[in-house]
Amino acid sequence: MAYGYGNRIAYVDLTRRKVKIRKPRESLLKEYIGGKGLAAKLLYDMLPPRIDPLSPANILVFAVGPLTGTGAPASARGVIATKSPATGTFNDSNGGGFFTSYMKIAGFDAIVFMGRAEKPTYIYVDHDGKFHFRDASQYWGWGVFATEEALREEVGDKDAKVAAIGPAGENLVKIAGVVVDKHHIHARGGVGAVMGSKNLKAVVISADPKNPRFELADPDGFNEYNRWYIKEKIFSEEYAWAKNGGTPSIVEWSNNVGVFPTRNFQDGVFEEWEEISADVLKRFRTSKAACYRCSIACRNLVKVKDPRWGEFHIDGPEYETIAMVGGSAGVGDFKAIVSLNALLDDMGMDSISAGNIVGYVMELYEKGYLTKKDLNGVEAKFGDPEAEYELIKMMAHRIGFGDIMAEGVKGIAAYVGGDAYKFAIETKGLEYPAYDPRGSVSMALAYATADRGACHLRAWSIAEEAFGELDPFTPEGKAEVVIRLQDLNTIKWSMVWCDFIAINYEEMAKYLKLATGWDMTVEDLRWRGERIWNLIRLFNVREGFTRKDDYVPYRILNEPLKSGPPAGKVLGREKFEKMLDDYYRLRGWDKNGIPRKGKLRSLRLTKEARKLEYPA
Amino acid sequence: MAYGYGNRIAYVDLTRRKVKIRKPRESLLKEYIGGKGLAAKLLYDMLPPRIDPLSPANILVFAVGPLTGTGAPASARGVIATKSPATGTFNDSNGGGFFTSYMKIAGFDAIVFMGRAEKPTYIYVDHDGKFHFRDASQYWGWGVFATEEALREEVGDKDAKVAAIGPAGENLVKIAGVVVDKHHIHARGGVGAVMGSKNLKAVVISADPKNPRFELADPDGFNEYNRWYIKEKIFSEEYAWAKNGGTPSIVEWSNNVGVFPTRNFQDGVFEEWEEISADVLKRFRTSKAACYRCSIACRNLVKVKDPRWGEFHIDGPEYETIAMVGGSAGVGDFKAIVSLNALLDDMGMDSISAGNIVGYVMELYEKGYLTKKDLNGVEAKFGDPEAEYELIKMMAHRIGFGDIMAEGVKGIAAYVGGDAYKFAIETKGLEYPAYDPRGSVSMALAYATADRGACHLRAWSIAEEAFGELDPFTPEGKAEVVIRLQDLNTIKWSMVWCDFIAINYEEMAKYLKLATGWDMTVEDLRWRGERIWNLIRLFNVREGFTRKDDYVPYRILNEPLKSGPPAGKVLGREKFEKMLDDYYRLRGWDKNGIPRKGKLRSLRLTKEARKLEYPA
């Protein structure tokens, strides 16, 4: 029995309606830690290459880590991982709230869903940890909010935690997420579509936080260190941003440095940014809130009333949502963004991709690629939140052109044809988040090399570049920064920490030691981060991903921004390829982006690499 | 206006319900000829990499060639091409009958279906060549046979030709085909699933063979040469097999040389082969039949009455069906095979893959990987045609375990896990046809390097090897044979000839000259074959296919056959890799299977190759 873990992995076969509970070997946990790392190992071993992500041959992995549910700050996290239907890559999506903490409290390190239920089904894990397959036909088509409440009632536990999909997941929309606790969404890469393809409407867990089904190696030491850490670190000036505006504070920073995606990345400064900044949010804020036992408490509850869409008293939008649902669609209207955010949560959709897609469709419309008739009568003009609302609904239900939008900007570009791809802003099929790399070039490398397509969380290098001290326009030295952050974050998403904690290897090693009893040096942890990152690269290489897939869109490479510090500058192919060459060299990968044998040997991945030569 | 062509390509947008008719440039036709070549060029140019094959971003191309519908022998052919949902590769599926001839007579060189209809739809092309979008809701769920008759009645033309999908295509079964004229199926690679994903139940064409909408360059010369060719070649001893038993004659040859897939490739000699041979077929034969104006007339109409399934008077099974639905499932019962064949045609499914999948499930069942309960109560024992019938129905409708079977042997292996992959007999996700490479090693190379996964039609090298003069167990010299046949067949499927004509480049050049007026030498044609083959390789490389995907299954490499000439022999990795190395070298591809720059330059594909670096 390993300390810090539930020591149980549940394999739920939805086709045969069977559940197997297995005790993971301690070596598996020690090598892969949990969360992202554990999910990567399970996916690498269980999935042969080139299976259809939306077929019953795919698996969906919920995984937590040794820190999840412990009361450490920013540890109310877990991942949902799968082979992504949006990108075809490995994809892990992080989420907070309470659900994954309860999964850990119930004693599960991972739950692996396999096959496909014959009809809409939800899984209930009761207080004894028993799995029940239950009919969800009556909830099919329901939004997330109503589903969650109804299921809590149906299982008769007001404190039960729910992970559910909305209509977007049911309709296999490629940007559908899995929503936990109403407003926390494992958003990116279509994990909700995979859940929908399995006819799995929801997973409901009952658990008792007072009697967690895991033990810490040194509970007293853990509590003592944790109290000290919270007091000295979390309650310090470093986290003032969280207590204050939260992530919406970034709206101002991004506009200052000219990286705020405006009207589908046509500009980097939004003239209406002050209408959707943290200061505006504060005017609507009723209180702060926190995920399970988190002392950072970054959440902002807001109350908004708007004659167009009604009244909402919900979690306020994060920076990414404000920027992509707002700026990228040219919408400078805070109340509208809250309403659109609520719609996206209820439908179960990723707000980053949704905003990017809407911005793209608006540009296609304004440039004449699409007509009002093509768009079911919607005049998709930048700046019109009502048009945006209609487009999102069409997409969630795959109505009319929404069926094309549901495939993401890459799918839209394929359908529209011609030169439409030139302003489709994606890498590997995942839409860009809200930092334009033309104003912070390391982000181009971060997006191009992120394991799941354009993701800002694998290496948020802008913090050291446009928001920090480094020259944001030179490629020099950027590969080092991106690699350092990718390896560090791989460990963060494996333990599992939230991205909002600025924790270093020393502190993570200390927490890990107190939770699990394992002595790990900083280098032990960094090595594991690098190892997991390389295992995931092998997963993607096995799926055929190479240098050609580590690209940056045409617009980002070739078209200059109009405003702010990056005005007139393009990233340019040469600069980008220099960073990519540096990156591969420092990673120990060849020119084509394939890990070299020596690197694999040093990471003890030689056995895993043999699986590249499938199936012999 | 190019002679030999309709000079019209129709682009049918099912999402926006719009049709555009475009005149293809003569240079496009001259470079890519038609059929496979034309479809390859359209798919390469219109599809970006890594779109979901079952999404509206994919396209489905019906294409014919300069010979289609001309009355040349074996020219009643066309292709349906798409990005395959079974393999992720380029995929062209050939078919005969009358439909594609009528498409050519109606003046279309290609019809490209884009997007996805909002509800079940069929397309009617009337006598004036006008396209009509019609509701097919009432036919959704219908088998192919009833659909075809009902649609002919609905359009009011008894002579209209229909291409339709059955329930398998509607249910996105990965082995679903498109059936034309009831028993001619564009079978392989899931073209029917793509049609189903577009909510396109059928395409119906009215045309008047007396007034074809294409002109030949030299009609008199064409007719004179054609008469001579039919008399001297087709009516010679060379085609006696077709007049006599047709392809079922191969049952005897295959068993003699020990390559007849028996009980999922566990053996190469089926002890009951004489129960399902051409001689048995002849006992049930009522007449011979031919596709549109074909002088080979290889078809066998058979009449079978069986208390288990009723009475059928239909096209008799071809060799592949007898071997895979029969031998691979251990079923030595001719009447059962006819009934199963009828079921597969009506459901719209590929009999090669279906038989392979059933054999695999039977082996999994007999070895204890799957239980009777797992299989909805079916006792999946080898040799039981009633169990096979149930399994096929489950698969067509995705009922119970049929939902897993519908993903093909690769999907089943992924779901079952463990070492089940060792006897999943596929390459690139396409199930093996009926020639076990352990008794004719060049077929291993042919399957591994075929553009659409394990296909016997790209290079039927066994004709020169186990059925011919070459040593069937040595790898020496086999790459040359496979390459020569692949290039030749690429031209055959582009003009479009049937695989049953043994025509050489000289004769093809002569026919092409008379039809189009183009002077092409043997080398001009061979070069075009090689060029199209390389363009398709680029399509697959862009999708991430490399050497690792040009594999042979574990069983074929490592387990010996029990009977016949190959008994006790394994193919072995060394032998296979030698052939693959030879093949890449002779193709001008690198060790990883990527065409080298010099080769691309000599094939004038440099511009196309730039698209590998997507999207910049």
Side-chain angles (χ1 to χ4, degrees), chain A residues 261-277:
Chain A
T262 303
R263 289 179 287 276
N264 193 38
F265 295 82
Q266 292 187 83
D267 210 339
V269 179
F270 184 37
E271 62 284 1
E272 298 177 60
W273 74 263
E274 283 174 290
E275 303 298 318
I276 55 177
S277 68

Side-chain angles (χ1 to χ4, degrees), chain B residues 392-415:
Chain B
I392 290 171
K393 276 202 300 184
M394 280 162 58
M395 177 161 44
H397 295 287
R398 285 189 177 270
I399 293 167
F401 195 79
D403 190 32
I404 308 291
M405 292 172 71
E407 298 300 320
V409 297
K410 182 170 187 161
I412 300 169
Y415 169 81

Side-chain angles (χ1 to χ4, degrees), chain B residues 342-355:
Chain B
L343 174 67
L344 288 163
D345 286 347
D346 199 31
M347 296 292 107
M349 285 160 98
D350 175 12
S351 64
I352 296 179
S353 286

Side-chain angles (χ1 to χ4, degrees), chain B residues 89-148:
Chain B
T89 64
F90 169 84
N91 183 91
D92 59 311
S93 276
N94 254 273
F98 293 80
F99 177 88
T100 47
S101 297
Y102 270 51
M103 186 179 136
K104 176 74 178 291
I105 291 162
F108 295 98
D109 303 310
I111 304 176
V112 180
F113 295 97
M114 308 155 67
R116 163 158 52 205
E118 199 148 15
K119 59 181 179 183
T121 296
Y122 78 92
I123 294 291
Y124 176 48
V125 185
D126 69 19
H127 275 285
D128 298 323
K130 281 190 66 177
F131 282 71
H132 305 266
F133 293 82
R134 295 214 176 149
D135 185 13
S137 302
Q138 66 272 41
Y139 306 117
W140 208 247
W142 286 28
V144 165
F145 304 159
T147 302
E148 196 177 317

Side-chain angles (χ1 to χ4, degrees), chain B residues 227-247:
Chain B
R227 270 194 304 271
W228 175 85
Y229 194 90
I230 291 170
K231 184 161 165 258
E232 293 298 316
K233 303 277 179 169
I234 305 299
F235 292 164
S236 76
E237 259 311 292
E238 201 179 347
Y239 292 89
W241 68 269
K243 309 271 175 228
N244 192 4
T247 61

Side-chain angles (χ1 to χ4, degrees), chain A residues 548-581:
Chain A
K548 69 188 181 322
D549 304 288
D550 294 344
Y551 59 79
V552 170
Y554 181 93
R555 167 165 287 170
I556 302 297
L557 274 190
N558 301 301
E559 293 179 12
L561 282 165
K562 295 170 198 156
S563 322
K569 293 191 170 71
V570 295
L571 174 55
R573 183 146 187 162
E574 206 177 317
K575 238 191 240 181
F576 172 68
E577 301 229 323
K578 188 212 169 328
M579 288 194 292
L580 197 59
D581 284 336

